[in-house]
Amino acid sequence: MTAPACNIHATAIVLGTTGFLITGPSGSGKSAFALSCISEAKRRGRFAALVADDRVDLTLENDRIIARCPASIRGLIEIRGGGIVAVETVSACVLDWAIMPVRPSRDQRLPPENEELQLQIGRTLPLLRVPVETLVSPLDALHALLPKNLAL
C-alpha cells in the first residue's frame, strides 16, 4: 500500500544497504556531506549512490519510508560555488536514518538523546547530528556513530 507523496527540502543517499535523509537549512552542507560520503565509500570499494539532492519525494510503502528523486533533478547534485554536476544515482531507497550536518563551533557539544526527525508523511526517522568541517571525515564520523549499521 502506497501513501501520498510529499516533497521536502533534503538530500537522500544510500551507503551499502542503509538509506540516509540529510536534512538542514539551505547552506548547511547537505550536498557536500552527501558527495563526500558517496565518494569516500566508493574509494573504499563500497556501494554508495545519490538518490536525490535538494528535493526528495517521500512515500510510505508497506510501512517503510521510501525516498525518490523528482524527475527534473535526477542524477544531479550541487557543488556550492562550483555548479551542478552529474553523479551516479539509484531510483529509490528505504530510509533508515536522518542526518543533520553540524558545525561543532556553532552547535551544541552533545546532541539531544533519542532525537527524531518528524516527516510530513506522519512518520519519524532517528536523527543523527554529524560534525562537518572537522578533521574527521563525514563517513568516518557516521561510521563511528553507527558501527553496527554501516560496514566500511
Side-chain angles (χ1 to χ4, degrees), residues 58-146:
L58 298 179
T59 56
L60 191 57
E61 300 177 21
N62 298 317
D63 207 34
R64 299 184 312 172
I65 303 166
I66 308 297
R68 289 189 175 80
C69 186
S72 62
I73 59 171
R74 188 167 292 129
L76 302 174
I77 192 166
E78 178 186 1
I79 298 177
R80 189 171 282 269
I84 297 174
V85 298
V87 295
E88 180 182 350
T89 62
V90 293
S91 61
C93 77
V94 174
L95 292 174
D96 301 293
W97 296 88
I99 296 171
M100 181 181 296
V102 295
R103 289 171 174 76
S105 62
R106 291 188 232 156
D107 290 294
Q108 301 174 30
R109 186 170 180 175
L110 295 174
E113 289 188 36
N114 302 314
E115 194 171 14
E116 293 185 328
L117 176 67
Q118 181 67 46
L119 301 171
Q120 297 168 348
I121 56 173
R123 294 287 302 274
T124 62
L125 284 170
L127 178 66
L128 293 173
R129 293 175 186 242
V130 181
V132 295
E133 298 179 357
T134 67
L135 296 177
V136 178
S137 77
L139 189 63
D140 285 338
L142 192 55
H143 178 61
L145 292 167
L146 294 173

